[in-house]
């Protein structure tokens, strides 16, 4: 057994070595030194292209809005800004169009809340249930019960049971999937594109020399597809590598949770890392990883990329406080798109892509007004005006 004095000396030596490395690392906390028009790896979009967005206008025409519908939204967990965003945005839309609306908090599935929450929604006999961020494989039996009751369950950013990555093989589809974009319609394609976009920014910002620590959410297939997208982009960069992936599930999250302990240890073990990939804004903000990076004295020597574009994350970018960029996606647009999906379903019309995409945000590009979540610039994209007009509402 090592003596306490030996352990203490070793810890001091490691801390000193890390300090030397950080002091010697060139500033890489922004993409300012990178050429926005240059391709740093073949097959990777330039910074200029990433800033320009993959969004396009929502559908301009559609069936007349069905009045007086009763809708229940099962949220993946209202304590997380990423889960709460679409639910709260839809609440405003429902009030605007005169639909009855209720949010059930899935509380991250703790104490089987996803299953009980879906059954609670079914018992209320709504016209439709909307869920967000909960894979079909997490609640298959309640989804079958909803199907038997004739209640459609509209999915936002969730994988269905017919997904080819499903453990044990795919089975019947139980969700009505909102279509995001003509180029990536499904949730699987959407998350893959998110990961590809995140890694593309890192490749450009580090000028093709990214040494990466990343978190990897393993609680559902969303994380698998996002990681696959990152890997596909990084495979195109000859001098980029992932030195550590910190795996976690929802129950391990929080300011002092297992995720933080794992990430803190990983940060110390890899002083050579100059980049970080974070799956969601909440990892950077409410889970405290950006603060951890800043407290470690590495906010000025790392490119840190998150994904969602909520107001608190954008503030970290403004303050240069452990987050460099975010892959902005509009939760407001997802809510409008889900309402349009339901309305087409109620009218017996085919579903269509909603135009939802990504727009990279950093300190010099695409920041929203202070305190505001990311939403597409208006003009050219007027979400409320376009959707209401398409539904026959002035």
């Amino acid at each position: 057994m090592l003596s306490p004095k030996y352990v203490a000396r070793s810890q001091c030596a490691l801390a000193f070595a890390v300090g030397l490395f950080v002091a010697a690392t060139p500033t890489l906390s922004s993409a300012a030194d990178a050429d926005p028009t240059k391709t740093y790896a073949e097959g990777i979009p330039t910074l200029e292209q990433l800033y320009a967005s993959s969004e396009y206008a929502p559908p301009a025409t559609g069936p007349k809005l069905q009045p007086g519908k009763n809708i229940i939204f099962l949220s993946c967990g209202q304590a997380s800004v990423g889960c709460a965003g679409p639910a709260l945005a839809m609440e405003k839309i429902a009030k605007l169009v005169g639909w009855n609306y209720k949010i059930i908090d899935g509380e991250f599935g703790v104490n089987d809340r996803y299953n009980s929450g879906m059954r609670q929604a079914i018992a209320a006999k709504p016209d439709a249930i909307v869920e967000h961020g909960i894979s079909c494989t997490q609640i298959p039996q309640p989804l079958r019960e909803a199907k038997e009751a004739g209640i459609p369950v509209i999915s936002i950013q969730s994988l269905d049971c017919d997904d080819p990555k499903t453990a044990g093989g795919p089975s019947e589809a139980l969700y009505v999937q909102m279509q995001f974009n003509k180029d990536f319609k499904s949730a699987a394609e959407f998350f893959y594109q998110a990961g590809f976009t995140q890694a593309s920014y890192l490749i450009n910002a580090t000028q093709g020399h990214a040494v990466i620590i990343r978190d990897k959410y393993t609680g559902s297939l969303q994380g698998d597809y996002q990681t696959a997208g990152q890997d596909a982009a990084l495979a195109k960069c000859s001098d980029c590598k992932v030195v550590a992936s910190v795996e976690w599930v929802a129950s391990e999250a929080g300011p002092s949770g297992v995720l933080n302990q794992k990430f803190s240890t990983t940060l110390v073990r890899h002083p050579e890392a100059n980049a970080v990939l974070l799956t969601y804004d909440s990892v950077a903000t409410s889970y405290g990883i950006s603060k951890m990076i800043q407290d470690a004295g590495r906010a000025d020597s790392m490119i840190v990329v998150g994904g969602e574009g909520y107001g608190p994350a954008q503030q970290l970018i403004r303050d240069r406080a452990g987050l460099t960029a975010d892959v902005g996606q509009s939760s407001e647009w997802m809510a409008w798109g889900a309402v349009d999906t339901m309305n087409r379903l109620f009218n017996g019309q085919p579903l269509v892509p909603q135009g939802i995409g990504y727009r990279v945000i950093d300190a010099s590009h695409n920041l929203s007004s202070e305190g505001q979540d990311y939403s597409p610039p208006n003009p050219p994209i007027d979400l409320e005006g376009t959707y209401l007009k398409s539904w026959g509402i002035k």
Side-chain angles (χ1 to χ4, degrees):
M1 183 175 178
L2 298 177
S3 71
K5 288 184 178 179
Y6 178 86
V7 171
R9 285 198 302 271
S10 299
Q11 289 174 334
C12 288
L14 177 59
F16 180 70
V18 170
L20 285 177
F21 185 90
V22 170
T25 302
T27 299
L28 278 174
S29 62
S30 79
D33 293 333
D35 182 344
T37 65
K38 182 175 178 178
T39 300
Y40 286 98
E42 187 174 351
I44 294 299
T46 65
L47 284 170
E48 193 172 71
Q49 290 170 322
L50 292 171
Y51 295 139
S53 157
S54 57
E55 302 162 329
Y56 57 88
T61 60
K64 186 176 180 180
L65 188 83
Q66 291 277 325
K69 292 298 184 180
N70 297 303
I71 309 299
I72 294 180
F73 194 114
L74 177 59
S75 163
C76 45
Q78 289 298 95
S80 165
V81 64
C83 289
L88 296 176
M90 191 176 289
E91 186 172 51
K92 295 178 182 178
I93 298 167
K95 184 176 182 180
L96 184 66
V97 302
W99 283 7
N100 300 309
Y101 181 79
K102 178 181 179 180
I103 298 171
I104 294 176
D105 189 349
E107 300 173 4
F108 310 111
V110 175
N111 296 322
D112 202 33
R113 183 57 177 153
Y114 287 161
N115 283 290
S116 65
M118 181 56 72
R119 289 192 169 102
Q120 180 184 347
I122 294 167
K125 299 181 179 179
D127 294 297
I129 298 168
V130 181
E131 70 73 37
H132 173 233
I134 306 168
S135 287
C136 174
T137 53
Q138 295 175 284
I139 52 170
Q141 185 52 41
L143 288 176
R144 293 188 191 100
E145 294 165 14
K147 186 174 182 179
E148 290 169 3
I151 303 171
V153 180
I154 286 75
S155 169
I156 303 175
Q157 290 189 310
S158 305
L159 280 296
D160 212 334
C161 285
D162 65 346
D163 188 88
K165 287 182 179 285
T166 301
S171 58
E172 66 172 327
L174 296 171
Y175 282 142
V176 176
Q177 292 269 358
M178 182 188 75
Q179 297 180 16
F180 290 90
N181 187 299
K182 60 181 173 59
D183 296 320
F184 38 91
K185 292 182 180 180
S186 70
E189 294 168 316
F190 191 76
F191 278 101
Y192 180 95
Q193 189 62 37
F196 191 92
T197 303
Q198 287 181 306
S200 294
Y201 182 90
L202 274 192
I203 291 167
N204 289 315
T206 61
Q207 300 177 47
H209 305 290
V211 182
I212 303 161
I213 297 170
R214 66 181 174 190
D215 77 284
K216 182 180 179 182
Y217 181 62
T218 59
S220 68
L221 291 176
Q222 288 97 310
D224 288 352
Y225 279 104
Q226 191 161 349
T227 300
Q230 293 170 359
D231 289 343
L234 294 171
K236 299 177 184 295
C237 178
S238 60
D239 195 32
C240 297
K241 60 182 178 180
V242 176
V243 293
S245 293
V246 181
E247 297 186 355
W248 63 284
V249 296
S251 61
E252 296 177 326
S256 57
V258 175
L259 167 61
N260 292 59
Q261 297 167 25
K262 290 179 180 178
F263 202 93
S264 177
T265 300
T266 302
L267 202 59
V268 171
R269 286 178 177 170
H270 292 283
E272 78 279 17
N274 64 3
V276 175
L277 284 169
L278 301 176
T279 48
Y280 311 122
D281 279 2
S282 53
V283 178
T285 56
S286 55
Y287 302 167
I289 298 301
S290 286
K291 184 177 187 302
M292 183 185 299
I293 292 167
Q294 188 175 37
D295 290 348
R298 298 179 69 176
D300 290 335
S301 62
M302 302 188 93
I303 301 291
V304 185
V305 182
E308 283 171 312
Y310 288 103
Q314 291 197 50
Q315 191 60 47
L316 290 176
I317 294 172
R318 279 192 181 85
D319 296 340
R320 302 184 186 275
L323 192 64
T324 311
D326 222 4
V327 177
Q329 50 183 287
S330 174
S331 61
E332 178 191 6
W333 199 339
M334 290 182 199
W336 282 105
V339 172
D340 186 71
T341 297
M342 283 186 280
N343 188 53
R344 291 173 189 274
L345 190 67
F346 296 147
N347 280 281
Q349 297 290 316
L351 308 186
V352 299
Q354 298 295 324
I356 302 166
Y358 293 107
R359 189 186 300 264
V360 170
I361 302 164
D362 65 16
S364 303
H365 303 86
N366 299 322
L367 281 168
S368 304
S369 299
E370 197 157 338
Q372 297 298 306
D373 299 335
Y374 171 73
S375 202
N378 179 16
I381 297 175
D382 177 6
L383 295 177
E384 180 176 323
T386 302
Y387 277 111
L388 291 182
K389 185 177 180 181
S390 76
W391 300 334
I393 301 174
K394 295 182 179 180

